[in-house]
Amino acid sequence: MLKGILIGIGVIIALIGTIMVFDARILTKKLFSFGDQNEATSGMKIMGFILGIIGALLIYFNI
């Protein structure tokens, strides 16, 4: 039971990370209103990559 819950959480975290990487420019336009969008976009892509890795590791170590 706990294994299934942890795999589900890992899938959700990896999905959020993937969405953050691919839609970073759109998300920064909607969420932030400061001028330097390039810096915010690269920061969001890095954070999405890290979340994707964390989610994948959760899935990998629970299978």
Side-chain angles (χ1 to χ4, degrees):
M1 182 69 180
L2 181 64
K3 192 175 189 179
I5 292 171
L6 287 176
I7 289 175
I9 291 172
V11 167
I12 291 170
I13 291 174
L15 179 69
I16 290 171
T18 306
I19 290 171
M20 285 176 69
V21 169
F22 286 109
D23 292 338
R25 178 111 15 219
I26 298 166
L27 291 173
T28 53
K29 283 181 185 177
K30 286 183 181 179
L31 297 175
F32 306 116
S33 62
F34 56 88
D36 196 11
Q37 281 187 345
N38 290 333
E39 201 169 308
T41 301
S42 52
M44 189 165 281
K45 284 185 179 189
I46 291 169
M47 194 166 91
F49 178 75
I50 292 171
L51 279 176
I53 294 295
I54 290 171
L57 287 175
L58 267 172
I59 296 167
Y60 178 74
F61 286 119
N62 281 313
I63 290 180

